[in-house]
Amino acid sequence: MGKIKIQKKDVWIDMTPMSDVMTLLLCFFMLTSTFLQPEPIQVNTPSSVSEVKVPEKNVLNILVGPDGKIFVGTDNKNDMMAIMQTVTDKFGVTLNGAQIKKFKEESMIGVPVTKLPDYLNLEPEKMAEVIKTLGVPTDSIDGGMSEFQEWVKAARDANPDIRIAIKCDSKTPYKAVKALMSELQDMEENRYQLITNLKTSSEE
């Protein structure tokens, strides 16, 4: 008996619905994602069991590197400009149009106020190198407030609802963290959040 030949047919799958779903998902993630601001230095935060999330808006971020250098910034560009204007007026520092434009692109402040004009005159690549070696000074000026305190005060004046979040490296000396907290306490800024990584079961 002869073999029966089965007619082969091409299988065709309509991929249109899948394409529609992928497009919708892509749009959803693009509209709901929060882009991280670049930081002057890389900080590896310590682990903790706290699950409290830091707010995404109205936050003054204080970054402390492994060597104790301090950087200050907020993601609200309008607040950043107001803070800069207040502090530069306080110290009698004037910025030109090109320097102000560069300042708007910066995510954090990390140089002494008197060196701010020279810093903003540098090329972007050089700025990224120089800022790592400086940081905001915490030494008091003529027995008054330090530059760090002036930046924090200006941030509070620019936005009374702003919250303070401190992000330290796991290798930052305790002495540097304690000094930073003392600076805030002297200003009666006693409420702030510490940014950490959530401890996993493997780290316990």
Side-chain angles (χ1 to χ4, degrees):
M1 182 177 178
K3 293 183 178 180
I4 300 173
K5 294 183 178 180
I6 300 174
Q7 186 177 1
K8 294 182 179 180
K9 296 182 180 180
D10 294 332
V11 178
W12 180 79
I13 300 175
D14 186 5
M15 299 296 290
T16 304
M18 183 177 291
S19 301
D20 292 341
V21 171
M22 291 300 295
T23 303
L24 289 172
L25 286 173
L26 180 61
C27 292
F28 171 77
F29 287 119
M30 289 178 63
L31 293 173
T32 58
S33 298
T34 302
F35 295 97
L36 295 175
Q37 295 289 333
E39 295 178 341
I41 58 173
Q42 184 177 359
V43 170
N44 298 315
T45 55
S47 300
S48 74
V49 296
S50 175
E51 296 184 6
V52 179
K53 293 185 178 180
V54 178
E56 296 181 358
K57 297 181 180 179
N58 294 331
V59 177
L60 179 67
N61 296 299
I62 301 174
L63 187 68
V64 188
D67 53 1
K69 288 185 173 57
I70 297 174
F71 307 86
V72 182
T74 176
D75 58 347
N76 189 315
K77 295 299 182 182
N78 293 329
D79 286 349
M80 275 291 272
M81 294 304 297
I83 295 168
M84 178 271 293
Q85 193 64 54
T86 299
V87 176
T88 51
D89 288 347
K90 174 80 175 181
F91 287 87
V93 175
T94 304
L95 302 180
N96 59 37
Q99 292 167 341
I100 292 174
K101 184 178 179 180
K102 266 191 176 181
F103 185 89
K104 288 181 179 179
E105 299 172 358
E106 291 290 288
S107 60
M108 303 196 92
I109 303 151
V111 298
V113 182
T114 54
K115 294 183 179 180
L116 192 56
D118 293 335
Y119 168 73
L120 294 172
N121 285 334
L122 298 173
E123 294 297 324
E125 296 79 9
K126 189 67 176 176
M127 289 172 65
E129 295 177 6
V130 170
I131 194 172
K132 295 178 182 179
T133 64
L134 298 174
V136 177
T138 55
D139 301 325
S140 61
I141 303 170
D142 297 330
M145 298 176 69
S146 66
E147 283 193 27
F148 167 73
Q149 290 175 324
E150 291 288 354
W151 285 110
V152 176
K153 181 179 180 298
R156 180 66 69 192
D157 292 340
N159 185 353
D161 297 326
I162 202 166
R163 298 185 183 184
I164 298 174
I166 302 173
K167 185 178 181 180
C168 299
D169 193 273
S170 57
K171 296 181 180 178
T172 302
Y174 172 73
K175 182 179 179 181
V177 180
K178 183 180 179 181
L180 171 65
M181 292 181 176
S182 297
E183 291 270 304
L184 293 173
Q185 289 175 351
D186 290 343
M187 303 174 62
E188 298 184 355
E189 292 285 355
N190 299 312
R191 299 191 65 179
Y192 43 80
Q193 293 175 291
L194 298 176
I195 300 176
T196 58
N197 286 325
L198 184 63
K199 183 180 290 186
T200 60
S201 57
S202 60
E203 295 175 320
E204 296 178 354

